[in-house]
Amino acid sequence: MSAFLRVIVYGGIVVIVGAAVMLTRLTSIEAPEARIAASVAAPMAAAAPVAPNAAALVAPTDRVDPLWAAETGAATGIPARAIIAYASADLTVGAEQPGCGLGWNTIAAIGAIESVHATIDGSRLDGQGYPSPPIRGPALDGHGFAAIADTEDGVWDGDAVWDRAVGPMQFIPSTWADWAADGNGDGMTDPNQIDDAALATARYLCATGDLSSPQNWRAAVFSYNHLESYVDDVAAMANRYTTAVGSQPAAG
């Protein structure tokens, strides 16, 4: 660990990592969960541990305050439709796994690095949360990447020879098979659809344990991409988003 101090924000908790570790509640902004939902009473009341493939109870566009999404998007540069997906995933895992401690800003940071919130290479999210054109990573053929032979007959990635990362959160098809989620409650699980992909990402990260722990948080993000530099980049981006939101006036 480097000698300088790094500030990492976990869903409303600041963790300063360096020679010592200190936890302190944010005082300049509200915890994200206090503002991202127009109403959380119904989904929270129905919350219970669920299987990874269970459908969302409420559509993200109905549970996340659109004004909050627009303001947060303007402050952070994240498309509002992507913000809705990240915030809804945060709410869902917060209800399912209260001890996880995952914040929307961590999910958003991964979305930024993986696909620039589904805008990489000129792609754009439509109102239903699908990027157009679809987002596909390079063939995992062992040349500069791990060699992963096709696992799903090209159903998701269009490649029947090699696997490719798919969608806004860049799931490898074999990983998607384990963590597929229905984030928008349409009865389907699709790594191309950002609500589904964001919820799968959230559950994948929460499998590590309590993410209010710096060690667990780093381990969870490292499990997503096995590079310490990747973890550092996600931490920096998550902090950037929280700082940007904190600089905005609270909604009336």
Side-chain angles (χ1 to χ4, degrees):
M1 182 177 293
S2 60
F4 67 87
L5 298 180
R6 178 182 299 117
V7 179
I8 302 174
V9 180
Y10 307 98
I13 298 176
V14 174
V15 178
I16 302 177
V17 182
V21 175
M22 177 176 69
L23 300 183
T24 178
R25 284 286 174 184
L26 285 176
T27 56
S28 60
I29 62 172
E30 302 170 27
E33 291 81 358
R35 295 190 59 216
I36 59 179
S39 173
V40 298
M44 291 293 282
V50 297
N53 293 335
L57 295 174
V58 182
T61 51
D62 292 333
R63 69 188 307 208
V64 177
D65 183 350
L67 176 60
W68 179 89
E71 290 177 344
T72 302
T76 60
I78 302 172
R81 185 63 185 83
I83 286 280
I84 287 171
Y86 304 145
S88 181
D90 179 1
L91 286 174
T92 298
V93 295
E96 294 172 354
Q97 305 175 58
C100 172
L102 178 66
W104 69 269
N105 57 319
T106 294
I107 307 168
I110 290 176
I113 293 169
E114 294 293 344
S115 71
V116 198
H117 311 298
T119 66
I120 195 169
D121 295 332
S123 191
R124 290 291 183 273
L125 283 172
D126 64 21
Q128 301 304 309
Y130 286 91
S132 179
I135 299 169
R136 303 287 182 268
L140 300 176
D141 58 6
H143 294 92
F145 305 94
I148 304 178
D150 174 67
T151 60
E152 34 71 80
D153 296 325
V155 170
W156 293 124
D157 59 16
D159 189 335
V161 178
W162 301 101
D163 269 352
R164 298 170 182 259
V166 178
M169 307 304 282
Q170 287 290 275
F171 273 94
I172 297 171
S174 57
T175 305
W176 182 255
D178 292 333
W179 291 97
D182 179 10
N184 62 351
D186 67 355
M188 299 184 291
T189 60
D190 187 340
N192 296 288
Q193 205 279 331
I194 197 166
D195 303 310
D196 292 0
L199 180 55
T201 296
R203 287 173 173 163
Y204 184 96
L205 295 172
C206 284
T208 299
D210 179 5
L211 301 187
S212 65
S213 155
Q215 294 82 3
N216 285 352
W217 187 92
R218 290 191 67 88
V221 177
F222 185 84
S223 74
Y224 208 90
N225 188 323
H226 299 329
L227 290 171
E228 290 294 344
S229 59
Y230 180 86
V231 180
D232 292 339
D233 289 344
V234 171
M237 190 67 72
N239 281 328
R240 173 183 165 189
Y241 291 147
T242 300
T243 300
V245 172
S247 67
Q248 301 301 305

